[in-house]
Amino acid sequence: MLEDRAAPLSPRQVAQQQPLPGTDPVERHQAIPAPGIPAPGAPADRWPADYPEAYAVVDVETTGLRSDDRIVSAAVYRLDARGTVEDSWYTLVNPRRDPGPVWIHGLTREMLADAPLFPEIAEEFTARLEGRVLVAHNAVFDWMMIAREYARAGLTAPVRRRLCTIALARQLRLPLPNARLASLAAHFGVAQRRAHDAEDDARVLAEIFRPSLRQAAEAGARLPLLACQPLTEWAEQAPAGAAGGSGGTRSPGGHGAYQWRTWRPNRRLPPSPYPNPGRYVRGGRLRQGMRVAFSGDTSVDRSLLEDRAVEAGLHVAASVSRYTSVLVTNDPGAPTSKVTRAAAHGTPVIDEAAFLHLMRDVEPADTRPAADGGAG
């Protein structure tokens, strides 16, 4: 049994440590590697020198999927450079609000009442994440939930890079019917015990990631790593169902009592009332009517950036096309669709700091805004 002796656990904290199959000395001889993949303990013929030195496999359960939702439980499995499990950790978190879809994560208001608040587990969480690549299934969701919790606590999330197991599976061209965690688990012969339980999902994910990492290393494949930009400015939205808010109610009972949404709801932003003047010229100024697209993490919440761009008379584009004036991204080397299309179209690329600087002095449009508010 793996034990974590790095720091004592809070009396209010629920923490569990348990090994993955093949990591306990007693069980190691019983571990069966996935077909065609070397056993995790076997030495690799070659290991890419640019691979990360450590990983934190993470799963969080939340009150929902919107950007104003909160974490109710979190689990972290720490792995070394080659995927060997070092330890595991699990905790409940009191969200100080309705727990949301209890029928999914199983955590009731009563179960969370005595759990620690996020600021109370932040130090331990930081110790688990610091200096490691965050690995998660649909990693952007887990990362943004974590980043927001740190921001609310007046802290900076200690993560600088993340890896999504969905992206890794696609890169390895695994024969999967879909990108669900259950499909990956079935492919690697991993048994799920409690789906949507943070501790068990993190265990399953760690078991999946180990052979995936080994397979990628054996093939000399480039890992789909993305940069993480901790939040320094964000806007709290009114919870769904609250006065002035939008969406469903937060009653814990019954499926129909809670509206399931994506972590960032789609927003209908008004088009710029000015015609598109063309592409941004490096060293010049932004001009009203320019089409701006955003990609990747930003230190200022994306919704705030979009709102400020609209207020300045720019047009926020959901995708990149030949009409896009400029792409704003802090990770121009990321293998995202927007970055790829920007390169194909020759679209200028600037980072968030440059964009915020240019936003101070946006050049007025040559023509008056159209009466119907439309513009190309």
Side-chain angles (χ1 to χ4, degrees):
M1 179 70 74
L2 289 173
E3 291 186 15
D4 176 22
R5 305 182 185 276
L9 298 173
S10 165
R12 298 173 61 202
Q13 195 165 343
V14 181
Q16 300 174 353
Q17 286 76 39
Q18 63 182 34
L20 293 176
T23 61
D24 190 301
V26 177
E27 295 181 344
R28 188 168 295 157
H29 69 282
Q30 299 175 345
I32 302 175
I37 298 177
D45 294 332
R46 56 187 181 279
W47 197 269
D50 60 347
Y51 272 28
E53 296 182 359
Y55 304 90
V57 179
V58 176
D59 185 74
V60 297
E61 295 300 318
T62 65
T63 60
L65 301 181
R66 291 169 57 96
S67 58
D68 60 294
D69 279 301
R70 307 296 299 270
I71 291 176
V72 294
S73 63
V76 181
Y77 273 75
R78 292 195 290 192
L79 278 60
D80 68 11
R82 301 201 177 193
T84 300
V85 176
E86 297 172 338
D87 56 36
S88 66
W89 173 77
Y90 168 70
T91 183
L92 298 178
V93 183
N94 186 340
R96 304 185 72 176
R97 62 182 290 179
D98 191 289
V102 176
W103 62 90
I104 294 178
H105 54 59
L107 301 174
T108 65
R109 188 190 300 270
E110 292 72 25
M111 295 169 67
L112 298 171
D114 293 327
L117 303 177
F118 187 85
E120 296 175 313
I121 60 103
E123 183 177 357
E124 180 69 18
F125 207 7
T126 294
R128 302 280 165 178
L129 301 177
E130 202 162 26
R132 297 171 182 269
V133 170
L134 184 150
V135 178
H137 198 69
N138 190 19
V140 64
F141 171 76
D142 294 79
W143 158 242
M144 288 306 301
M145 285 296 181
I146 292 169
R148 281 184 171 275
E149 290 288 6
Y150 271 93
R152 291 185 187 101
L155 303 170
T156 301
V159 178
R160 293 298 173 267
R161 290 189 295 174
R162 66 174 180 266
L163 187 155
C164 180
T165 49
I166 296 175
L168 181 57
R170 289 171 178 165
Q171 187 156 315
L172 295 175
R173 299 182 178 179
L174 299 182
L176 303 174
N178 52 55
R180 295 176 183 173
L181 182 62
S183 296
L184 271 169
H187 176 78
F188 287 108
V190 179
Q192 280 189 297
R193 299 167 187 161
R194 300 181 306 277
H196 299 296
D197 172 88
E199 195 283 328
D200 195 57
D201 280 354
R203 174 192 63 82
V204 170
L205 196 58
E207 291 190 45
I208 288 167
F209 177 64
R210 295 167 69 213
S212 298
L213 177 64
R214 174 71 54 166
Q215 185 173 340
E218 289 293 321
R222 177 174 177 266
L223 295 179
L225 300 170
L226 291 177
C228 291
Q229 192 80 15
L231 284 173
T232 59
E233 185 179 356
W234 74 101
E236 283 292 5
Q237 301 175 5
S246 60
T249 63
R250 292 301 173 100
S251 170
H255 291 27
Y258 190 95
Q259 290 193 8
W260 196 247
R261 297 178 180 270
T262 56
W263 68 269
R264 187 199 301 142
N266 292 327
R267 303 195 310 151
R268 286 184 174 273
L269 296 172
S272 173
Y274 308 101
N276 186 354
R279 290 182 173 175
Y280 164 73
V281 177
R282 191 170 297 277
R285 297 164 62 188
L286 293 174
R287 181 180 295 182
Q288 289 179 325
M290 282 187 171
R291 297 177 68 92
V292 180
F294 298 94
S295 178
D297 298 350
T298 52
S299 59
V300 176
D301 188 65
R302 180 77 67 82
S303 62
L304 290 180
L305 284 178
E306 292 174 343
D307 288 343
R308 291 171 186 173
V310 170
E311 290 170 5
L314 303 175
H315 179 97
V316 175
S319 60
V320 173
S321 71
R322 60 192 178 94
Y323 300 108
T324 305
S325 303
V326 63
L327 174 66
V328 179
T329 179
N330 290 314
D331 193 6
T336 64
S337 60
K338 289 182 181 178
V339 171
T340 301
R341 288 173 186 166
H345 292 300
T347 304
V349 177
I350 60 176
D351 62 20
E352 179 186 8
F355 177 73
L356 291 173
H357 178 76
L358 291 169
M359 284 284 288
R360 298 175 184 175
D361 185 25
V362 176
E363 187 176 357
D366 293 333
T367 60
R368 297 182 63 182
D372 63 356

